[in-house]
């Protein structure tokens, strides 16, 4: 059953934790930042949470106005999506990610979702503004994403691009490793852990936008996620 525990503290921080402080709650919000998801998709992205506990957290978050059930696709069950109130948690989650990046790694086995990698990518990438626009089609855990580099900015959105310079298929952990070490791309292609079709140099530009970011005096991150990209 969903928890009814409360800190019984009138401070805004405590009241916020009453809503999203239970285990797995904020990770569910993280998974919904980029695209609505079905229960089964959330379960796959969070493999260490039980189905019963995930159901409880979803009910709690829905009850507290953080998420809602979106319209069902043409085929399949309903999806969960963030409400406007829930989306206000995005900068808090990004700040938590920045704070936690230096925390000790958890013991194996560890999970890494596609959403996590894409959030890091759009947070860390700073492409050369003079470089030609590049559109990459990424396939991660069976879902297609469009990543576009243009004018020194990064756009990430779910779905197929109209056209793409290159298509890459990998699991999230492999893509994360390449974002740390782009030189490993050739080996990953050779051993089959990555499949690339199209302009290999376009993937190189994407990876190097993270490892060798374009210097900028503007300390804000050049991430552009348009409102339509969240649908």
């Amino acid at each position: 059953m969903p928890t009814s525990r409360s800190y019984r503290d009138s401070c805004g921080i405590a009241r916020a934790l009453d809503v999203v402080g239970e285990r797995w709650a904020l990770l569910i919000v993280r998974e919904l930042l980029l695209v609505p998801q079905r229960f089964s998709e959330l379960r796959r992205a969070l493999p260490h949470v039980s189905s019963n506990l995930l159901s409880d957290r979803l009910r709690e978050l829905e009850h507290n106005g953080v998420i809602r059930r979106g319209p069902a696709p043409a085929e399949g069950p309903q999806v969960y999506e963030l409400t406007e109130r829930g989306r206000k948690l995005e900068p808090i989650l990004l700040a938590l990610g920045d704070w936690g990046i230096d925390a000790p790694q958890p013991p194996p086995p560890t999970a890494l979702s596609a959403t996590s990698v894409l959030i890091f990518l759009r947070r860390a990438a700073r492409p050369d503004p003079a470089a030609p626009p590049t559109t990459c089609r990424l396939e991660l855990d069976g879902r297609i994403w469009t990543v576009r580099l243009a004018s020194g900015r990064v756009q990430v959105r779910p779905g197929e691009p109209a056209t793409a310079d290159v298509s890459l298929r990998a699991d999230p952990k492999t893509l994360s490793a390449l974002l740390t070490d782009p030189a490993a791309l050739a080996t990953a292609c050779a051993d089959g852990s990555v499949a690339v079709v199209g302009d290999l140099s376009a993937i190189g530009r994407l990876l190097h936008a993270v490892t060798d970011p374009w210097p900028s005096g503007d300390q804000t991150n050049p991430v552009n996620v348009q409102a339509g990209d969240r649908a």
Side-chain angles (χ1 to χ4, degrees):
M1 294 294 293
T3 182
S4 59
R5 290 180 294 186
S6 171
Y7 288 104
R8 297 186 181 278
D9 187 320
S10 59
C11 169
I13 296 171
R15 287 152 58 194
L17 290 174
D18 282 345
V19 175
V20 295
E22 290 292 338
R23 190 169 175 80
W24 298 105
L26 283 177
L27 294 187
I28 293 170
V29 174
R30 179 198 70 190
E31 289 304 311
L32 298 177
L33 284 178
L34 300 184
V35 64
Q37 299 203 46
R38 300 183 180 97
F39 182 92
S40 60
E41 292 168 332
L42 290 169
R43 185 71 181 83
R44 182 171 61 179
L46 303 169
H48 300 304
V49 64
S50 69
S51 294
N52 286 343
L53 185 53
L54 178 58
S55 295
D56 287 348
R57 292 294 172 265
L58 288 169
R59 282 194 291 269
E60 291 164 11
L61 291 170
E62 187 175 11
H63 174 75
N64 286 298
V66 177
I67 66 172
R68 62 180 168 232
R69 301 187 193 209
E75 297 180 2
Q78 284 185 314
V79 296
Y80 293 92
E81 62 185 11
L82 293 176
T83 62
E84 286 304 309
R85 176 173 169 77
R87 189 152 296 284
K88 291 178 181 178
L89 287 164
E90 181 169 359
I92 298 168
L93 280 171
L94 296 180
L96 272 175
D98 292 343
W99 183 84
I101 199 70
D102 296 323
Q105 284 282 352
T110 59
L112 185 67
S113 72
T115 301
S116 299
V117 178
L118 291 169
I119 288 173
F120 171 75
L121 168 63
R122 59 170 215 176
R123 187 92 168 139
R126 185 172 286 116
D128 180 353
T134 300
T135 300
C136 302
R137 177 189 184 272
L138 301 185
E139 183 177 344
L140 302 170
D141 281 350
R143 188 189 292 274
I144 308 302
W145 300 87
T146 297
V147 179
R148 180 170 171 79
L149 312 179
S151 303
R153 302 179 70 84
V154 180
Q155 294 178 333
V156 177
R157 67 176 187 269
E160 292 276 0
T163 60
D165 299 292
V166 66
S167 177
L168 179 147
R169 185 179 72 248
D171 64 71
K173 287 188 176 181
T174 298
L175 178 57
S176 178
L178 292 176
L179 292 173
T180 302
D181 181 17
L185 178 60
T187 300
C189 290
D191 66 21
S193 57
V194 167
V196 176
V197 177
D199 182 2
L200 199 62
S201 67
I203 289 295
R205 289 194 293 275
L206 174 65
L207 300 177
H208 282 285
V210 174
T211 57
D212 304 300
W214 184 256
S216 172
D218 182 3
Q219 295 303 306
T220 58
N221 190 52
V223 171
N224 182 13
V225 181
Q226 298 174 352
D229 297 341
R230 291 170 173 155

